[in-house]
Amino acid sequence: MDRRAFLTAATAGLLLPQTATPAAARTLRSDPFTLGVASGDPSADGFVLWTRLAVDPLGGDGRGGMPARDVDVDWQVSADERFSTIVRSGTATARARDAHSVHVELDGLEPGREYFYRFRSEGRLSPAGRTRTTPTGETPLTFAVAACAHYEHGYYTAYRRLAEQEPDLVVFLGDYMYEYGPSGYTALAGRVRTHTPGKCETLADYRLRHAQYKSDHDLQAAHLVGPWLMSFDDHEIENNWAGSVSSTGAPGFTRRRAQAFRAYYENMPLRRASLQGAVLRVNRRISWGTLARFHLLDTRQFRDDQACLDGVRAGCDDRLASGRTLLGADQWRWLESGLRGSTTRWNLLGQQILMAQRDYKVGPGREVNLDSWDGYAAERTRLLGSLAGTSNPVVLTGDAHMHHLAELKTDFDDPDSPVVAKELVASSIASDGDGYRDRTWIAEALQENPHISFIDQRRGYLMAKLTRDELSVDFRTLDYISRRGARAKTSHRLTLPATTGAAAAAQAGAPRAG
């Protein structure tokens, strides 16, 4: 069975054995696997398997229509898609207090190979998913980069097209779900689908909204094809929040954030160690053998409040202050240590907000987005200085709702300043609805920002192939998402050769692109 046939069969439930518990013995009234299955955080000998039971995903109390009791869930891992060679199995408990979510952390498996997994509960079987362990050598890697999937703004066709390309790994860089109530944030084309009632503020609200997003079959298909590396941005909690500060000044934000983190963990393939009381640790490192190391950052939880009351503004000197931090002291030390100690050929920073300087004003003067790295300019300069000494650094970014390709420099105002890394920004899966291609606007933006060489305002994702010698990236776009069925196409292609060190990286100049 090839990969495409596996995806089709898995989403149709054709890979499941036909035995089942008699109906009279069941206590759950219908299929509990309505939210699908997922895997994540692979290592050389394991990964995380996830599911969450819900017989009524949109039940108003956020509990998915499940009874107020714990439920046993059997799981299997197989060396083949037909489950004829079971290599590991066991039983986990889906606890009512955890919204009946299940996180199974596997180890002791073989490195660098595919595995297949599924769950069973009270005689009902989940779809079968494909996952993998990481290799130990320089095995090539195909990975996707995605972000920003506002449910109301359009269908998740981009997830379906991503799944059809069957990457080894998916890197998701934030805004998996949005907290707004119905029509709380509208796209130009209006509302295609409708959020669950009300703005997310309580644990039940966040659980219900996650269930609504997870119920989408195109999203489920994207989780079936391989493991994901998950990170959040702002909308998983609240627009433009910063540390312990609410962007709206609403009372009780610390409690609200803790409840949103809990719901996020319950609905993602994350390791148990990530949830530490009121803190959700998503900054972590995942190595793909000796080929690449992913350094995943958290650009929300430990930052200072935005300068000058946030927004896109001119003349905000506070953003330049040397003491301002986006990463926080502990994460900064963790990142610097990881960059210095990395021995992999490539180093990929997965983070949420535009790192390149971005002038939004046409003509004299400058306006920048204070929620992005432009609002924390001194720390960005220090980070880019660290990247200059790192083997083949590449920055992967979400949030912008537009594809960008940028050169990262320690001094963006000096044309002769060396390029220390490239930044690849993935457009949104759905946020802002049907995209467009305003060539006049794009030309003006590129002229104002000569270190940015490509922008595309359409929805989409990145698909990358990484080898020892080069990184090749397709910027994938869809012409519409307000109705189903759009095809994905490559609107831009980048080939970035590997270098042997920081000096060579600085001399490499612009990447080959087409």
Side-chain angles (χ1 to χ4, degrees), residues 418-456:
V419 177
V420 300
K422 301 297 187 291
E423 181 175 21
L424 312 176
V425 184
S427 186
S428 63
I429 291 292
S431 301
D432 283 339
D434 284 344
Y436 51 93
R437 190 100 169 104
D438 186 334
R439 297 185 182 279
T440 299
W441 184 94
I442 291 172
E444 291 174 343
L446 297 181
Q447 183 176 2
E448 291 294 327
N449 302 275
H451 52 281
I452 300 176
S453 59
F454 173 70
I455 296 176
D456 195 314

Side-chain angles (χ1 to χ4, degrees), residues 23-64:
R26 298 174 183 170
T27 59
L28 298 179
R29 65 179 185 269
S30 59
D31 177 19
F33 296 108
T34 56
L35 305 183
V37 300
S39 66
D41 279 15
S43 66
D45 69 343
F47 33 72
V48 180
L49 303 181
W50 170 92
T51 193
R52 178 186 163 200
L53 307 184
V55 295
D56 179 13
L58 300 186
D61 62 357
R63 298 180 182 274

Side-chain angles (χ1 to χ4, degrees), residues 387-388 390-393 418-422 497-509:
L387 291 182
T390 301
S391 175
N392 296 303
V419 177
V420 300
K422 301 297 187 291
T499 60
T500 57
Q507 296 170 3

